[in-house]
Amino acid sequence: MSQEPRTYALLLFLSLSHGVPNSRQDLHPLLQKMAEEIIAGNYLNALLDLIQFQSSHVWTADLSHSVLAYLNSRNVAFTLPSLQAAMENHLQQRLYQPWELLDDLREADAQQLRTAMKCLLEDRKDRWQLEDIVLDLGELRAHALQSPGVNRSLVRITLERCFQVLSALECVQVLGRVLRGSPGSLLQPDLTGTLPRDLREDAFKNLSAVFKDLYDRTSAHSQKALYSWMRGALRTPSNATDDSVSWVSAESLWILGRYMVHLSLEEIMKISPIEMGLFISYDNATKQLDTVYDITPALAQAFLERIGSSSFDMRNTSTIHRLGLLVCFYDDLESLDATLAQVLLHQMIKCGRLRGFHAGVQKLKADLLDIATENQTLNETLGSLSDAIVGLTHGQLESLSPEAVHGAISTLNQVSGWAKSQVIILSAKYLAHEKVLSFHNISQMGVLLAGVGTQAFYGMDPRDLAQLLRSPVSSHVSHLSPAQQHGVLSKVKEAEEASAGVMDVQGALFTEVSLFDLRQEARFNFSVLKEKELRRSQALFLYDLLSKTTRRPEELLSAGQLIKGVTCSHIEALSPDSFLAHVQYFENNLSLLSPYQLNCLAWKYWEVSRSHMQPFLLTALPARYLASVPVSRCVPVLISLGKIHLDSLVLDSHKKSLVLRKVQQCLDHSLADEYAVDIVGKLLCHLPAALLLHGVSAGAWATALHGLRDCPGLSPEQKAAVRLRVLEQHGHPQNWTAETTRDLAPLLVLFSGEELSSVATKFPDILQQTASEMAGTLPPKEFLRAVFESVRNSSEKVPSTDPSPGCHGVEAPSSDDIFRLAEANACWAPQDLFCMEEDTFIRSVDLLGAVRGFSWPQLMTLKEKAIQVWDVPSFWREHHIVSLGRIALALNETELQQLDLSSIDTVASLSQQSGWTPGQAKSILQGFLADSGYRIQDLKSFHLVGLGATLCAMNPTEISLIKISEFRVVVARIGTLLCSAHVLAEFKRKAETVFGGPPEWSSSVLQELGTIAAGLTKEEMRELDKDLMPYFQPSAIRCLPDEIFKELSTRQLAALGPENAAAVTPAQRRQLSAPQLQSLQRALDGAKTRSGLEAAPSATPTWTPSAGSPPGRLHDEFVQGDSQAECALFCTLSIPPAISPAVGPQCPPCTSPSHQPCCGPPVSTLYLPPAISPAAGPQFCTLSIPPAISPAVGPQSAPSPSLLPSALLWTPQFCTLSIPPAISPAVDPQSAPSPSLLPSALLWTPSVHPLHPSCHQPCCGPPVSTLSIPPAISPAVDPQCPPSPSLLPSALLWAPSVHPLHPSCHQPCCGPPVCTLSIPLAISPAVDPQCPPSPSLLPSALLWAPSLHPGPPQPEVESAVTGRYQQGADHSPDSPPS
């Protein structure tokens, strides 16, 4: 891993000192000032003084002596370690507390601030190295600019003070550097109000250029504010007072650039024709106009009118070339000739960049297309129509001659926006001209390559295909369907040098290479893998294969996606030094790692170097590890968590709730200001509804809103809270401005139909554009209805001319309506759809087939419309069937049998749709076999891939007929199918002929099989090696029948890994016993299952300080607390000295060979009395009870029956008691003891006491956790509760009715007669915060540990962010945890 430079220590010069001079020496004034800053604790200012000194002086060892002498002469007794620790801590905290950094820079003198600004301004790579200390200004600058909130402070200090100490040009350059590396939320309207108003012209132009670069990242309100600032600077005194003279000059338009779209219509119409003509004549005018993506039609036409009133002729080709995106709104079509129409069409290719109004653009293209072909045929003009040909219907495309398509191929192969049905027609035309398909021919096809049939690919010369895979055209191969891709691969493998063909496969296509083929290839090396995408099964096999050829892990870890194949055993096999040397490879490729791999990585980090561990990896460990992070370390943890996608790492909802509980504690349940929002990053999307509604301050709301707009999956509660907060902050939508509506556009889906109706009335374009940007999603019905009404209200209503019964007077949809509505087409009534014009259906069928929200009646209506337009299904051709999309689901079995399914590409298009009934799937399968003439035993691999989900309709006999040679190369594809259990069982038997029986399967084979592995029998499942469990695919886990899933052992379940454990269905879970559920929970938690057992559940990780850790990591190490707990008779329980300082260090040795007693100064012990357990005595390591806890007990006291052990744990996740089997053999017989866990029974359930449900409650509400003591233990308890010898509470002589130290805080559960034990705040986050922890209160969460007691967790009673000024004050870096 890369070592962070020691940028924080001024010891870079002190480290040279080999001794301190006896007398004070004179220092350079700047160094003397630096030393005074050190003495005052202003370490940042001291660093700035040093940088200033170093810029003009050479450092020598004598200067080091002099500085130390000066410090000593001022009676400042710094040691090198203490100064280094103080220095590092101070500067680390400034990165984590950027508001403090802002205060420091505000208090810095002018020279120090100038130095700071210069460091940001100059792209200096200064690297000072004196002995082992390095100061790298470039690294320091980069790290600071990447820290959340630091940019905010730097922008503010630059605006406040930079212009006083540096030139305006230099300050603008600083602003540009900082703003370009900042999120868009930084430029809020209030910040733009602080921009300087009197900049010189050159500085103003440069700063305006910065804002133009940031345009897309800023909110609409900020864009408007920045425009107002630019407008104020551009208006001269002369034109500011005379309203009849426009202030907008040619140069103003050039400076405004994209901001010209904020000019009002009146201001545009006042622009002088001379100035407008001058602007259009600028060489870069077109470049400026090419960027006005959000211009409206009204503004665009106003600009066109002003250009037309200048000296430029709007019908001149040269002028049209200069119009940029204004050409998309060209409206002077009267008497336009065909040549100019073609020029306009060519320029309109760029119109796809517009942020809306695409329907108007499509209509303009259609009109220009009619003009361009008015006196010529399509065949004659095809190559000159640009992308307008996308609007041609199937009939028009079929009318084209093969020669015309061949002649226009250079245009056709570059056009984007083709529907698949159009590509099929054009490809067929092109191939009809070429006769023979060769590499030369297909290399000309570009995007039309996707229309080449699978069988045509398979019929090519394999050498041509091999050449295709090596050529630049191979980029288009990744866009082919899976069936087409396998057609290519099948033919390539038939070449004489088949292995070379596999090696030539590049990019995404390589993921289709089978594991079987890889196993036949022996010539793979690291270099050929770097540019290939890999499936996880491929990566697992290749990593294992190549790891046997090298001892250099970096060769494996740097080979592209090969890192997907690293296993836990590979990670564990790395030595500590090797792991730290290579961990950067993991951190640079986190997106490629599975949750299980991240869990293994986290455990390795935990064991090797906790101080260097990325804090977000704590979420991959059991929840208590994150829960025990002290408040002083909250900010780095929040920053780290805020940079990841939490849902991809924490898959269990319960564990996620615990993670978020910790996040809320760190935030003190609020976001106080913008800095807090900066720090939480992506965590903002996971904050609970209550916090979003009540905990976000008014000052933080604008920044938070900017982040909430991008949250992909807010819960219903979060959505409701955000909606209420928006209404509270911005009022009812009827009062919103255009800027407010644009800023809130992604959140419009949260509002009711009544609220959206006002948006639809005032800003229909914004609403419709918002809907168009949600392609691929399924917005709420009320939102779609509002969009639908908006489009219908703004479109021309023309009654249907369809003669069908019931269509008279119906306002049927037009092509323009369907184009604009997108997913909102689902709001049409079935009758409306049936009554649409035939031409409308023909032009729009591809769009309608892509609508996901159509109901069954709507799909049936559209099917009937297709039959009306195209005749019965037996007349349909491939492009007809493909264009239907989801409409095809309405075809019944008889209609499916009528289709021509001779082409596997047609079948593949049908199998891509989800929702076929078994009968429909069987009809498609039989139709293909009948129409193609193939028997099942004749099917090629690409046929099997194209059949897709219809393979699930095969019976066992049919599956047995599939050729092994074809099946083995598509196992991974078949493993994605969600077939029935008996079909998967048959495919599993087929797989055994390829990979052998389940005992022979490796991790790569199990991963390759996918859902096929769900066909395992009970006996095979029981015998499966537990180490293979993480390599099931989650889909396979979900497909396992409940009666087979319950056969998994506790060890197999514990080894599933987080991802597979999260895939377990509720029905499967209901089949499990209590021990199985406990093992499943361990897998969900991320408990360690390899290389020995994880710490006992009573093991609570604890923090101790660690100096010198790199920023952004866990600067406090966890002390060893995750010991192995394998012996049945456990070793000592450790009590930290802070709890019992009076107990001696002596501890008898533990008899177990795998454990060491907890002896030594930090350890206190209690005697464990034999009265508790027959097994107690010499075989146990002892525990001594300090007198402070019980006057009757002492280190030398005899065992007492009244002494109950404190070896029982309240875990933060559950209201449960964990009892070691050696202490209580009479536990619940349904919970078998497990050597892998301390507890053998969980006697306290989350709701009731298991033995006495009428008497005891385990948790008396959220504030207090209590234990009830049965009569068998304490004579003072409620006599109505019968004794129970199996219940052993962890109470130490507590008084019978109240908490002994805080009687006002805690009450018992079953009335006054019951003895209770209250959990101190340091142990449980759920206790009453009004009850402070007490050193005399022995906690019940004491760890089993092999050598050192880790100490209790830090109390978390203050916020690290909102209570930010206390951050770091709960303990110093050099003090032990409390």
Side-chain angles (χ1 to χ4, degrees):
M1 99 178 255
S2 64
Q3 179 65 40
E4 296 277 0
R6 307 296 292 276
T7 56
Y8 308 111
L10 287 177
L11 295 176
L12 60 91
F13 59 90
L14 297 178
S15 65
L16 294 179
S17 176
H18 302 288
V20 180
N22 294 325
S23 59
R24 177 176 177 178
Q25 299 180 6
D26 291 334
L27 274 181
H28 186 282
L30 193 55
L31 292 181
Q32 185 173 333
K33 179 169 171 286
M34 178 191 70
E36 290 295 334
E37 296 283 15
I38 294 174
I39 294 169
N42 300 325
Y43 300 110
L44 175 60
N45 292 346
L47 179 61
L48 293 172
D49 287 335
L50 174 63
I51 294 172
Q52 175 61 25
F53 179 84
Q54 185 73 9
S55 65
S56 56
H57 298 80
V58 177
W59 194 267
T60 64
D62 291 342
L63 293 176
S64 301
H65 300 167
S66 299
V67 171
L68 279 177
Y70 184 89
L71 291 173
N72 283 332
S73 70
R74 294 292 309 277
N75 296 320
V76 177
F78 268 124
T79 64
L80 295 183
S82 65
L83 179 56
Q84 178 178 354
M87 192 63 190
E88 291 185 356
N89 182 66
H90 178 86
L91 291 172
Q92 285 173 7
Q93 294 307 314
R94 289 306 177 263
L95 293 182
Y96 298 145
Q97 300 171 318
W99 52 90
E100 297 283 3
L101 174 65
L102 178 60
D103 290 341
D104 284 353
L105 292 174
R106 280 170 173 165
E107 295 172 3
D109 62 38
Q111 184 57 58
Q112 290 166 340
L113 183 67
R114 178 183 176 85
T115 301
M117 294 292 104
K118 284 285 189 180
C119 286
L120 291 172
L121 173 64
E122 299 172 3
D123 195 18
R124 294 168 57 181
K125 303 296 183 183
D126 289 350
R127 182 181 177 88
W128 303 341
Q129 184 165 1
L130 302 175
E131 292 191 2
D132 63 338
I133 303 298
V134 175
L135 177 62
D136 191 322
L137 292 183
E139 288 285 343
L140 176 58
R141 178 174 53 245
H143 184 64
L145 293 176
Q146 293 169 6
S147 299
V150 169
N151 282 4
R152 187 178 298 278
S153 291
L154 293 177
V155 169
R156 287 182 176 176
I157 196 64
T158 303
L159 291 174
E160 289 177 14
R161 296 192 59 192
C162 179
F163 292 91
Q164 303 166 16
V165 298
L166 291 180
S167 70
L169 274 175
E170 290 175 313
C171 292
V172 166
Q173 192 174 348
V174 171
L175 277 175
R177 179 184 290 271
V178 177
L179 286 172
R180 285 188 173 97
S182 306
S185 60
L186 187 57
L187 272 176
Q188 293 296 335
D190 61 335
L191 187 66
T192 61
T194 64
L195 294 173
R197 300 285 177 180
D198 53 354
L199 287 176
R200 289 172 45 187
E201 182 180 358
D202 51 357
F204 170 74
K205 289 181 178 179
N206 289 354
L207 188 53
S208 297
V210 171
F211 294 144
K212 284 188 285 188
D213 292 343
L214 299 175
Y215 187 92
D216 289 326
R217 290 157 53 184
T218 54
S219 67
H221 276 105
S222 297
Q223 291 171 1
K224 194 72 172 179
L226 289 170
Y227 163 76
S228 296
W229 173 80
M230 297 166 72
R231 180 178 184 271
L234 289 170
R235 296 190 68 176
T236 62
S238 59
N239 62 35
T241 56
D242 187 356
D243 289 337
S244 64
V245 178
S246 174
W247 62 270
V248 183
S249 64
E251 187 178 26
S252 297
L253 288 171
W254 179 83
I255 293 173
L256 285 171
R258 296 190 61 179
Y259 286 89
M260 72 175 71
V261 301
H262 294 279
L263 287 164
S264 69
L265 198 59
E266 294 76 13
E267 287 175 320
I268 296 173
M269 297 307 295
K270 286 181 183 179
I271 299 174
S272 163
I274 297 175
E275 293 294 334
M276 182 59 77
L278 183 59
F279 171 68
I280 291 297
S281 69
Y282 286 167
D283 289 338
N284 67 347
T286 303
K287 182 179 179 181
Q288 297 277 31
L289 292 172
D290 276 342
T291 64
V292 290
Y293 308 126
D294 51 346
I295 195 168
T296 65
L299 293 182
Q301 285 162 7
F303 275 116
L304 289 172
E305 192 278 333
R306 299 315 292 159
I307 295 171
S309 67
S310 70
S311 58
F312 281 88
D313 181 4
M314 294 299 289
R315 300 208 170 190
N316 182 280
T317 300
S318 175
T319 302
I320 291 174
H321 284 155
R322 291 176 172 272
L323 294 179
L325 289 177
L326 298 181
V327 75
C328 307
F329 305 93
Y330 193 96
D331 60 349
D332 186 14
L333 302 186
E334 187 177 353
S335 302
L336 197 70
D337 62 42
T339 302
L340 199 58
Q342 292 173 11
V343 172
L344 284 166
L345 286 173
H346 180 74
Q347 289 297 305
M348 289 183 72
I349 288 180
K350 64 183 72 172
C351 295
R353 306 174 195 166
L354 286 172
R355 298 282 169 78
F357 314 108
H358 296 294
V361 171
Q362 290 297 102
K363 185 176 186 307
L364 176 58
K365 285 183 179 181
D367 292 340
L368 290 172
L369 184 63
D370 291 340
I371 296 172
T373 58
E374 191 171 12
N375 297 317
Q376 292 177 294
T377 65
L378 275 176
N379 285 329
E380 294 171 323
T381 58
L382 186 62
S384 59
L385 299 179
S386 188
D387 65 345
I389 49 180
V390 170
L392 296 177
T393 65
H394 293 164
Q396 289 172 311
L397 291 175
E398 288 187 289
S399 71
L400 295 171
S401 68
E403 292 75 19
V405 172
H406 181 268
I409 194 65
S410 60
T411 298
L412 301 175
N413 64 11
Q414 299 181 53
V415 172
S416 60
W418 291 116
K420 182 63 183 290
S421 57
Q422 293 175 307
V423 171
I424 290 172
I425 296 172
L426 289 171
S427 296
K429 294 285 183 181
Y430 178 76
L431 297 180
H433 178 271
E434 293 298 331
K435 309 300 182 184
V436 178
L437 199 57
S438 65
F439 167 72
H440 173 73
N441 297 334
I442 61 176
S443 66
Q444 307 297 313
M445 296 187 70
V447 296
L448 298 184
L449 189 66
V452 178
T454 299
Q455 199 68 46
F457 279 122
Y458 186 70
M460 286 183 63
D461 188 314
R463 290 169 296 184
D464 283 339
L465 284 176
Q467 187 178 0
L468 170 69
L469 297 181
R470 292 190 296 266
S471 72
V473 187
S474 63
S475 61
H476 294 290
V477 177
S478 61
H479 299 113
L480 301 181
S481 72
Q484 290 171 309
Q485 291 176 339
H486 276 271
V488 172
L489 291 176
S490 295
K491 196 64 176 183
V492 167
K493 287 195 303 178
E494 294 180 6
E496 292 182 6
E497 298 180 4
S499 60
V502 172
M503 301 281 278
D504 286 339
V505 177
Q506 300 295 327
L509 182 61
F510 192 81
T511 60
E512 298 297 332
V513 176
S514 70
L515 182 62
F516 177 84
D517 288 334
L518 290 185
R519 293 170 74 172
Q520 312 308 307
E521 172 57 52
R523 299 190 299 128
F524 277 109
N525 56 57
F526 307 108
S527 60
V528 301
L529 293 175
K530 289 187 177 181
E531 303 303 322
K532 302 181 190 297
E533 292 186 31
L534 301 177
R535 293 194 315 275
R536 199 164 300 279
S537 59
Q538 295 172 319
L540 286 165
F541 169 74
L542 291 170
Y543 196 102
D544 184 65
L545 174 70
L546 295 174
S547 64
K548 299 171 184 176
T549 67
T550 181
R551 293 187 176 182
R552 299 176 59 196
E554 64 271 15
E555 289 187 320
L556 296 162
L557 298 175
S558 63
Q561 295 192 4
L562 187 62
I563 198 171
K564 286 182 177 179
V566 66
T567 64
C568 279
S569 58
H570 292 134
I571 295 174
E572 290 169 357
L574 294 172
S575 67
D577 290 342
S578 179
F579 175 77
L580 293 178
H582 298 100
V583 75
Q584 197 66 42
Y585 292 107
F586 293 104
E587 295 183 357
N588 291 342
N589 293 282
L590 291 172
S591 62
L592 298 178
L593 301 180
S594 69
Y596 179 65
Q597 288 173 308
L598 289 171
N599 176 252
C600 300
L601 179 66
W603 278 117
K604 184 67 176 182
Y605 245 139
W606 183 257
E607 295 167 354
V608 171
S609 180
R610 298 168 197 177
S611 62
H612 292 85
M613 187 177 187
Q614 289 280 13
F616 78 85
L617 285 174
L618 286 174
T619 60
L621 302 178
R624 64 179 179 277
Y625 287 82
L626 181 65
S628 63
V629 175
V631 69
S632 61
R633 304 290 357 126
C634 270
V635 174
V637 170
L638 290 175
I639 291 173
S640 183
L641 288 174
K643 293 180 179 180
I644 65 166
H645 293 285
L646 190 62
D647 286 334
S648 65
L649 188 59
V650 183
L651 305 174
D652 177 41
S653 59
H654 175 68
K655 183 176 180 181
K656 181 181 176 182
S657 69
L658 296 175
V659 171
L660 294 178
R661 180 190 300 174
K662 180 66 179 183
V663 169
Q664 293 175 71
Q665 290 172 352
C666 284
L667 293 171
D668 197 21
H669 302 275
S670 67
L671 293 175
D673 55 25
E674 306 100 314
Y675 286 110
V677 181
D678 293 339
I679 286 171
V680 299
K682 295 175 184 176
L683 282 175
L684 182 69
C685 300
H686 302 282
L687 296 179
L691 193 153
L692 294 175
L693 185 58
H694 304 295
V696 183
S697 71
W701 175 248
T703 304
L705 183 63
H706 198 277
L708 288 168
R709 297 186 314 168
D710 299 326
C711 292
L714 294 176
S715 69
E717 295 77 15
Q718 287 175 307
K719 291 177 180 178
V722 172
R723 173 184 164 274
L724 288 174
R725 189 62 190 271
V726 168
L727 292 174
E728 175 187 313
Q729 295 290 132
H730 303 281
H732 193 277
Q734 66 186 6
N735 300 320
W736 291 355
T737 63
E739 288 75 30
T740 299
T741 308
R742 288 194 186 95
D743 286 341
L744 296 175
L747 300 175
L748 290 178
V749 293
L750 308 183
F751 292 87
S752 67
E754 182 273 327
E755 291 162 337
L756 289 171
S757 64
S758 56
V759 175
T761 301
K762 291 179 65 176
F763 308 112
D765 293 333
I766 298 176
L767 182 65
Q768 293 169 31
Q769 175 60 18
T770 302
S772 70
E773 292 173 353
M774 294 180 178
T777 65
L778 199 58
K781 290 183 178 179
E782 285 192 276
F783 176 80
L784 293 177
R785 174 57 64 179
V787 174
F788 180 80
E789 296 297 337
S790 172
V791 171
R792 294 294 288 149
N793 291 336
S794 61
S795 61
E796 184 179 357
K797 296 177 176 60
V798 179
S800 173
T801 59
D802 191 295
S804 301
C807 290
H808 178 70
V810 173
E811 295 177 357
S814 66
S815 300
D816 182 64
D817 290 339
I818 293 171
F819 181 84
R820 293 164 65 191
L821 285 171
E823 192 61 41
N825 280 295
C827 296
W828 292 108
Q831 187 67 18
D832 296 337
L833 293 172
F834 184 74
C835 294
M836 79 172 79
E837 304 287 342
E838 288 192 8
D839 182 68
T840 299
F841 177 81
I842 292 171
R843 290 181 178 277
S844 308
V845 62
D846 289 280
L847 293 175
L848 293 170
V851 175
R852 299 170 57 194
F854 276 140
S855 65
W856 185 251
Q858 289 170 314
L859 291 176
M860 289 293 293
T861 298
L862 289 169
K863 180 199 72 172
E864 294 302 325
K865 191 69 184 180
I867 293 174
Q868 183 189 83
V869 174
W870 295 333
D871 210 335
V872 294
S874 59
F875 288 93
W876 295 358
R877 297 171 58 187
E878 180 183 355
H879 64 266
H880 293 132
I881 301 171
V882 170
S883 66
L884 284 175
R886 289 185 54 77
I887 301 172
L889 293 172
L891 294 168
N892 59 38
E893 295 174 25
T894 302
E895 290 165 335
L896 287 169
Q897 290 170 359
Q898 295 176 18
L899 294 175
D900 177 6
L901 298 180
S902 58
S903 167
I904 190 59
D905 299 296
T906 305
V907 175
S909 70
L910 293 174
S911 67
Q912 288 175 356
Q913 307 301 328
S914 59
W916 296 109
T917 66
Q920 287 175 308
K922 191 71 175 179
S923 294
I924 294 172
L925 173 63
Q926 292 175 340
F928 170 69
L929 295 175
D931 294 344
S932 67
Y934 286 107
R935 300 172 300 167
I936 289 180
Q937 53 266 41
D938 299 329
L939 296 179
K940 296 290 186 182
S941 60
F942 51 84
H943 293 139
L944 296 173
V945 172
L947 285 167
T950 61
L951 290 175
C952 295
M954 284 187 172
N955 59 45
T957 302
E958 291 171 328
I959 293 174
S960 67
L961 295 175
I962 297 174
K963 278 187 180 179
I964 297 298
S965 60
E966 304 300 327
F967 172 81
R968 68 194 181 192
V969 296
V970 293
V971 166
R973 275 285 165 187
I974 296 177
T976 64
L977 305 179
L978 304 178
C979 301
S980 62
H982 74 276
V983 171
L984 293 177
E986 193 59 38
F987 277 128
K988 189 270 300 180
R989 282 189 280 274
K990 198 84 176 175
E992 288 180 306
T993 62
V994 179
F995 300 112
E1000 303 173 55
W1001 291 353
S1002 63
S1003 59
S1004 58
V1005 169
L1006 190 57
Q1007 181 74 197
E1008 179 89 348
L1009 290 175
T1011 56
I1012 296 175
L1016 289 167
T1017 65
K1018 292 182 180 180
E1019 294 74 17
E1020 292 167 339
M1021 187 65 72
R1022 282 196 292 262
E1023 295 172 2
L1024 202 63
D1025 188 338
K1026 72 176 183 63
D1027 289 338
L1028 289 178
M1029 300 306 295
Y1031 301 103
F1032 274 99
Q1033 288 192 25
S1035 57
I1037 296 295
R1038 286 188 287 269
C1039 286
L1040 281 170
D1042 301 346
E1043 64 274 11
I1044 292 180
F1045 182 77
K1046 72 178 182 179
E1047 297 299 317
L1048 291 174
S1049 69
T1050 55
R1051 292 170 65 84
Q1052 287 174 313
L1053 287 166
L1056 275 174
E1059 192 172 16
N1060 285 340
V1064 174
T1065 66
Q1068 291 170 330
R1069 184 184 287 268
R1070 285 193 292 270
Q1071 300 293 319
L1072 301 181
S1073 66
Q1076 286 177 309
L1077 286 171
Q1078 190 179 39
S1079 292
L1080 180 63
Q1081 188 60 50
R1082 284 176 57 78
L1084 284 168
D1085 289 344
K1088 191 173 184 181
T1089 58
R1090 296 180 57 87
S1091 297
L1093 302 172
E1094 185 215 345
S1098 57
T1100 303
T1102 307
W1103 297 87
T1104 60
S1106 174
S1109 300
R1113 309 285 179 151
L1114 293 179
H1115 306 281
D1116 300 294
E1117 291 187 4
F1118 279 105
V1119 180
Q1120 182 69 23
D1122 53 327
S1123 62
Q1124 301 178 9
E1126 294 173 331
C1127 61
L1129 301 180
F1130 301 100
C1131 287
T1132 60
L1133 286 176
S1134 305
I1135 303 175
I1139 294 177
S1140 175
V1143 180
Q1146 298 304 315
C1147 173
C1150 180
T1151 58
S1152 171
S1154 63
H1155 293 275
Q1156 295 298 320
C1158 306
C1159 297
V1163 179
S1164 302
T1165 57
L1166 294 175
Y1167 282 110
L1168 185 66
I1172 292 175
S1173 169
Q1179 295 176 340
F1180 274 82
C1181 293
T1182 60
L1183 299 174
S1184 301
I1185 301 180
I1189 294 177
S1190 172
V1193 183
Q1196 304 301 325
S1197 63
S1200 168
S1202 65
L1203 179 62
L1204 301 177
S1206 163
L1208 309 178
L1209 169 69
W1210 282 98
T1211 60
Q1213 301 98 314
F1214 311 101
C1215 291
T1216 57
L1217 258 183
S1218 302
I1219 302 179
I1223 294 179
S1224 174
V1227 295
D1228 184 353
Q1230 294 181 357
S1231 302
S1234 169
S1236 65
L1237 296 172
L1238 276 179
S1240 63
L1242 300 176
L1243 299 184
W1244 296 91
T1245 65
S1247 57
V1248 295
H1249 185 284
L1251 303 179
H1252 313 293
S1254 63
C1255 292
H1256 300 281
Q1257 295 295 323
C1259 296
C1260 295
V1264 182
S1265 296
T1266 59
L1267 287 178
S1268 300
I1269 303 178
I1273 305 299
S1274 170
V1277 297
D1278 187 351
Q1280 295 179 359
C1281 299
S1284 171
S1286 65
L1287 182 61
L1288 298 174
S1290 72
L1292 295 171
L1293 301 181
W1294 297 129
S1297 62
V1298 295
H1299 185 283
L1301 301 178
H1302 309 291
S1304 63
C1305 292
H1306 300 276
Q1307 295 299 323
C1309 293
C1310 287
V1314 181
C1315 295
T1316 59
L1317 172 64
S1318 299
I1319 309 301
L1321 185 62
I1323 302 303
S1324 172
V1327 298
D1328 190 344
Q1330 296 178 355
C1331 300
S1334 169
S1336 64
L1337 178 61
L1338 181 64
S1340 64
L1342 304 176
L1343 300 182
W1344 295 104
S1347 60
L1348 280 178
H1349 181 272
Q1354 292 290 329
E1356 298 179 3
V1357 294
E1358 292 183 291
S1359 164
V1361 178
T1362 56
R1364 60 195 186 196
Y1365 297 105
Q1366 302 97 356
Q1367 200 230 351
D1370 52 343
H1371 70 80
S1372 69
D1374 297 319
S1375 62
S1378 61

